[in-house]
Amino acid sequence: MILWILIISTALLFLSFMLMKNSWLRTLLSAIFLIILLSAIALIQNNDANHVGMKKVTTESTQVIYSASPSPQLKLLLHQDIGTAGKHNVVIYKTSEKGKATHTKADYDIHNKVVSTSDNVAQMKVRRTEWVYKSDFYSTLFANQNNHLLVSQTNTFSLPKGWYNLTTKQAKELGKQAKAMQNPSAAQKAAMGQAIQAQVAAAMQKNPSMSKADQQQLVKQITAKYQQQAMAKLINQIQAKY
């Protein structure tokens, strides 16, 4: 609408100035059309620079997120820096357990932070502030331009115990070393076997009537615990190195 006002007032100013005879009416109309023209230009500039007719609106939303790792046992949130200063980054995660990994938008007005939580699920809380028009009048006047223009956005990732926040470089190194862990040496297998047998024996002393099925389940639990501890140790080493 404002563009039409600008075009029409320009045309009328030209016509009144060029085609009308020199008189008080010509002067009056030229002045009116000139004022309308300049007002339209000023409104356009102020809408672009100072967001005239607009107000800031903040919204919040929360969603459950899933590990970016292809392994269901390894809970990873990944991030990659933007630029060389390291002040901004994109975060990589999944919105569904079996879906493809996605990432936050790369924008200097979008900030990501990671916190720990006592909850059982990982979540992303989005706090977004935008410029929106105060009324339909202003929206129509400026043809809805710059509506929902981003002011700032903060994505807060809340990670439960057992999750790790790694860079993409650290994750790549973890993948390489994790493959080596899948083929332990004979000495490593023997040491783990002895440790597992010792814990099973201790559990049998406390509960001599433990069935074979319970013993097998216990072995699985102890083995998984050792694997988790080994993975945590490996991740700490990689984080310290890179």
Side-chain angles (χ1 to χ4, degrees), residues 5-169:
I5 293 174
L6 181 64
I7 294 170
I8 293 171
S9 61
T10 301
L12 291 175
L13 175 62
F14 175 80
L15 292 173
S16 63
F17 189 80
M18 297 299 295
L19 300 182
M20 292 183 67
K21 294 182 180 180
N22 191 9
S23 64
W24 67 268
L25 182 59
R26 173 191 173 187
T27 303
L28 176 62
L29 290 176
S30 297
I32 292 173
F33 297 142
L34 179 61
I35 290 172
I36 295 173
L37 172 63
L38 295 177
S39 298
I41 294 173
L43 281 172
I44 292 173
Q45 290 178 336
N46 272 282
N47 176 256
D48 187 58
N50 302 316
H51 308 286
V52 65
M54 308 182 81
K55 61 181 179 180
K56 288 182 180 180
V57 173
T58 299
T59 57
E60 292 186 354
S61 62
T62 303
Q63 71 174 114
V64 175
I65 61 170
Y66 299 86
S67 171
S69 168
S71 171
Q73 287 78 30
L74 187 59
K75 306 298 184 181
L76 293 182
L77 185 74
L78 305 179
H79 63 273
Q80 183 171 352
D81 290 341
I82 301 172
T84 56
K87 295 181 179 180
H88 300 273
N89 57 44
V90 293
V91 177
I92 304 168
Y93 59 97
K94 288 181 181 179
T95 56
S96 63
E97 196 167 5
K98 295 183 179 179
K100 293 183 178 180
T102 185
H103 60 81
T104 55
K105 187 177 180 181
D107 194 310
Y108 286 109
D109 292 321
I110 297 178
H111 305 275
N112 303 300
K113 64 179 182 179
V114 180
V115 298
S116 299
T117 180
S118 57
D119 294 339
N120 295 324
V121 295
Q123 292 183 326
M124 178 178 71
K125 181 178 180 181
V126 179
R127 181 179 175 86
R128 184 180 178 91
T129 301
E130 300 174 324
W131 286 107
V132 298
Y133 283 105
K134 295 178 180 179
S135 65
D136 291 339
F137 168 76
Y138 285 112
S139 177
T140 303
L141 181 64
F142 295 106
N144 210 39
Q145 292 294 313
N146 295 326
N147 199 21
H148 296 287
L149 181 68
L150 177 65
V151 178
S152 65
Q153 178 175 320
T154 300
N155 303 318
T156 303
F157 294 86
S158 301
L159 302 185
K161 185 178 180 181
W163 275 69
Y164 299 95
N165 180 27
L166 302 180
T167 66
T168 52
K169 184 177 181 179

Side-chain angles (χ1 to χ4, degrees), residues 189-202:
K189 288 181 179 179
M192 181 179 290
Q194 290 175 1
I196 292 174
Q197 288 177 4
Q199 291 196 38
V200 172

